[in-house]
Structures are given as structure tokens and as C-alpha cells.
Amino acid sequence: MGRCIGGIVPCFALAASLVAPAAASQPHILLVSIDTLRAMNLSSYGYHRNTSPNIDRLLAGGARFDNARTVEPLTAPALASMLTSLHPHEHGSTRNGLRVRPSLYSFTKSLGRRGYETAAFVGNWTLKSELSGLDEHFETYEAVLTRKRWFGLAKSEATADDLIDLSLSWLDTHLAASDKPFLMWVHMIEPHAPYRLRGEFLEQIGVRRAGSVFSPRKRYDSEIAFADDRTGRLLEAVYERVPREDVLVVFFSDHGESLGEHGYWGHGRHLYEFSLYIPLGFSWPGRIEPRVVSEPALILDLPATILGLLGLEVPEFLGGYDWPGTLLRGEPGPSGRETLYQAHRSSVEPQEDQRRLRARGLLELARLQNGRKELYRVGSGKHRVFDLATDATELNDLSTAGAEPSPELSAW
């Protein structure tokens, strides 16, 4: 897909003109995202523990992408890219706490103009409307922050059950009052740090209770199992209310997580595969046949892909790739696709100058094409090259001392 010629501002006027009625019998759309979920810890992606039976079943029934990545390993920037198909430096939310620029195009706005009721239910403090600006892109936007995290220091999250209860209440109200199709997004925060032990899932994931100390990895896996169980609950409840074949389900994560690899715990400050590599799948019974897609995909492909699956016009300025040919007809995707990534400092305070901070905080850039991955550390100028085909954990730096980044990465 091409960019809007002339920059972002001309795109606003063009996007505002893209108003068209919804096609008949459009499906409902359910977006399910799980915070900080790295693909390699899901059973369907080859993990040795049984962490995700419900997610595995969902992905097995549709198209599962085994080569998908986020564009920035931070929640608000990544999810803003998911909605707008823009990279963080384009939509403005380069760090948690920096709001997206107002009046941007998003596929949720576009579907709202085409007759969809749109609603979002999110449980991460970084997604509060005053911090993220994402409420502009939904008719109903609920950031549920009634629970305490980080040892009880602040009410900054919701449990998956909180979000599911609220989302289903909204759905029941909507279905009783309207025959319009819905787009509902539920974003769960588990398994974000601090990884809590979910003891009821230890047997499922094959972890013994011997001793009282559980490693962070085991706690992280138990949280995935918890989130998977709640994902199953949400899907079952939605399918009880509307026919399964009438629902397009999109499952994904905002970013992954480093669990000590490269001496790093967490996400956001580096562009290693552990933080970029995410699960992504599309399920629409009767329309999308089960398949595994191996070509490279990005989180910002969702707008073009969802619009394309609905048979709606895909704006030329969208930056993501349009995957319906692959999902519906099995056509090959762009195997040699070049993808770009960025990392910024993690968060800012709401009272800080937004415009000034948008131009600061860039830590790292990355470029990936045909398995060759370049990393460029902005402050130190360190340049590294990895061959992911033979070195998926990025341990062997192939760069030549003093070598400059590729022109594509330097220009970006």
C-alpha cells in the first residue's frame, strides 16, 4: 500500500471524505488483544508448555500468521499503529503518555461512518483517553482501571474478567437496541509484569508445585494460561449471542517481552525479536479457511486487511499491506517485504510538553528484509546485523566494524 503523497495533514481531508454506507450483511468484528504476549510462548507457535488451548483452537480455525511483528514494543504506540496504519513517528504517540495527533484516519472511524457501532474496553493505564487519545476512534471507549498493580501502588488496570463483564454488558445492550453490526475491541493486560502466579493453571502448563518459589518465566506462562482461559470465555459468550459465522475475530498482541534474553527484562527499549514477534490470526468461519501465513506481517496491516475482508474500499494512503487475497484465496503474500521498527523511551508524564517530547526519546531503529535484520542504536551509533534464518535469538553480530546502516534505515 502507498503513503499519502504530501504528508499526513493532506490525509486528514482525504480520510474525511471516505464516507460510504455499509454493505449488506456485514459481519460483526471482535478484536481480542493481549498485552505483552510473545508468540513463542504460545503452544500453537511451538512452545513446549500447554499455555494456550483456547487461542490455539481459534487460530487453527482460521489464518495464523507465523511471521508477524509489532512496529514498536510499547502499548500505546503499537495500538495506535494498529488503528491508524501509521508508524509511531507519524501518528505522534511515540511513547506511553504521548497522545496520538487529533483527527487522524482510523479503520474504526471508517467503519463507524459505514454503519458499525464501535466500542473498546481496555485495561492498561497507558490507554486512558487523556493519555492516549484513542477514545476519538470509538463511539464507546472504556478504560477500566479499578485494580491495583505493581504491589498495590496505584489503580492502573483491570482484570480480564472485569473487561469481559463490561464488554458483554455493552454487547447485550447493543444487540437489544440495534440491528447494526458491531466492532468490539477487548484488550487484556495479563501477562504484563509483574507476572502473577496463577496457581490454578500450573498443572495445565506442566509446572510442579514442589517448593514455594516459581521463576518469572513460570509465572509469565501461568498468566498466559489465565488470559487464554478468559479469551475462551469471551469467545464462547459472543458466539452464544451471535452466530459464529457472522463474526470476524482478529487476535493479536501489542508487543512481546524479553524474559532475560540479552540480559534484558521487559519491553520497549530494544528491538530484539522477543519484543517484536507477536501472534496474529484472523478467524471467520465459512470465509477464511484454516491456513498458516509465513510471509512477514505487521500490526499496522490490520486496517487495510479488515477493510479488504469486508469488501470495502481500502484508502491508497494506508501504510499496511492488504491480506484478503491470502486469507480468502490462498494467494502468496510479499515474501521480500521490507519492514521497519523503532524503540523510544517508555513513558512521559501527562503535564509534560507533548510537542517537544515527540521529537525526543528515540533509542533504536531496525530494518528487516529476507531474514536480514539491522539494528541501529541512536545514542551510541552502534550498528548490528543478524541473520534470523540461522540466528533467531540474535546472538551473532554479522556487521563489519564501523559499517554504516543501510540507506533505507538511515533515511528513515
Side-chain angles (χ1 to χ4, degrees):
M1 303 296 299
R3 294 283 182 190
C4 181
I5 298 173
I8 295 174
V9 174
C11 291
F12 296 164
L14 180 57
S17 69
L18 295 173
V19 182
S25 302
Q26 291 287 35
H28 304 294
I29 301 171
L30 176 63
L31 307 178
V32 182
S33 55
I34 296 181
D35 209 299
T36 321
L37 177 62
R38 60 193 228 170
M40 60 272 290
N41 281 58
L42 295 180
S43 316
S44 49
Y45 284 82
Y47 195 49
H48 66 282
R49 288 184 176 139
N50 182 28
T51 54
S52 51
N54 293 288
I55 295 170
D56 298 345
R57 190 159 44 248
L58 173 69
L59 298 181
R64 177 176 66 83
F65 285 76
D66 68 359
N67 197 10
R69 292 170 179 81
T70 191
V71 291
E72 168 124 22
L74 282 174
T75 296
L79 294 176
S81 292
M82 180 272 294
L83 293 171
T84 64
S85 198
L86 297 171
H87 282 275
H89 71 280
E90 296 171 316
H91 60 59
S93 178
T94 55
R95 299 163 68 179
N96 289 330
L98 286 180
R99 295 182 292 276
V100 294
R101 293 184 172 92
S103 303
L104 288 174
Y105 171 92
S106 68
F107 79 96
T108 51
K109 279 185 182 179
S110 179
L111 292 181
R113 291 191 291 267
R114 289 172 164 89
Y116 274 79
E117 285 288 337
T118 62
F121 303 92
V122 299
N124 186 319
W125 70 269
T126 67
L127 301 177
K128 290 195 296 184
S129 56
E130 61 268 32
L131 294 181
S132 69
L134 296 185
D135 58 311
E136 177 190 325
H137 298 272
F138 296 86
E139 294 166 281
T140 299
Y141 187 88
E142 296 282 350
V144 186
L145 305 173
T146 56
R147 306 284 181 168
K148 292 183 178 181
R149 201 166 183 85
W150 291 109
F151 312 106
L153 295 179
K155 290 183 178 180
S156 59
E157 70 167 31
T159 67
D161 288 319
D162 296 332
L163 293 168
I164 293 170
D165 290 344
L166 185 59
S167 64
L168 293 177
S169 177
W170 175 88
L171 183 57
D172 286 337
T173 300
H174 165 73
L175 292 174
S178 173
D179 59 359
K180 296 168 64 175
F182 66 80
L183 181 150
M184 187 170 76
W185 174 31
V186 179
H187 179 74
M188 309 177 205
I189 194 168
E190 299 92 356
H192 195 290
Y195 322 123
R196 291 173 174 166
L197 181 69
R198 305 288 181 169
E200 67 271 33
F201 294 100
L202 290 179
E203 183 176 352
Q204 174 187 311
I205 64 175
V207 172
R208 293 184 177 183
R209 288 183 174 272
S212 58
V213 177
F214 295 88
S215 69
R217 287 175 178 267
K218 292 177 181 177
R219 297 199 306 269
Y220 178 80
D221 286 345
S222 77
E223 286 243 81
I224 294 176
F226 170 85
D228 172 83
D229 181 80
R230 276 26 181 202
T231 297
R233 178 198 161 197
L234 174 62
L235 292 170
E236 182 179 357
V238 170
Y239 292 147
E240 287 174 352
R241 289 159 170 80
V242 293
R244 187 182 300 255
E245 62 271 17
D246 291 345
V247 186
L248 167 62
V249 180
V250 185
F251 177 83
F252 59 99
S253 175
D254 52 352
H255 53 75
E257 182 84 330
S258 285
L259 298 176
E261 296 92 356
H262 299 276
Y264 178 58
W265 288 86
H267 57 267
R269 302 181 70 86
H270 297 280
L271 296 176
Y272 298 122
E273 288 296 285
F274 303 100
S275 296
L276 294 181
Y277 186 40
I278 61 171
L280 174 63
F282 292 79
S283 174
W284 189 3
R287 297 296 302 277
I288 298 176
E289 295 297 323
R291 68 179 82 251
V292 175
V293 182
S294 59
E295 293 89 352
L298 292 175
I299 196 171
L300 54 71
D301 294 344
L302 266 67
T305 301
I306 291 173
L307 293 177
L309 286 171
L310 300 184
L312 300 174
E313 179 184 359
V314 179
E316 286 294 329
F317 59 79
L318 287 187
Y321 184 76
D322 181 347
W323 288 96
T326 301
L327 302 186
L328 299 177
R329 298 180 295 277
E331 298 171 0
S335 59
R337 182 184 186 185
E338 176 191 74
T339 53
L340 300 168
Y341 311 88
Q342 54 193 257
H344 291 81
R345 297 185 188 278
S346 59
S347 61
V348 302
E349 296 298 323
Q351 66 272 18
E352 295 185 76
D353 187 309
Q354 298 260 323
R355 182 174 298 179
R356 179 177 60 85
L357 288 172
R358 280 197 183 105
R360 299 178 58 186
L362 181 64
L363 296 174
E364 197 163 81
L365 296 170
R367 173 183 178 268
L368 174 61
Q369 187 174 33
N370 295 324
R372 183 181 187 272
K373 183 176 180 182
E374 290 183 82
L375 291 173
Y376 178 72
R377 197 71 181 173
V378 174
S380 66
K382 186 176 182 180
H383 175 236
R384 291 171 291 166
V385 177
F386 301 96
D387 180 2
L388 297 185
T390 60
D391 181 21
T393 56
E394 300 160 301
L395 296 176
N396 183 26
D397 183 356
L398 302 177
S399 62
T400 303
E404 294 294 324
S406 66
E408 296 88 349
L409 188 58
S410 300
W412 199 45

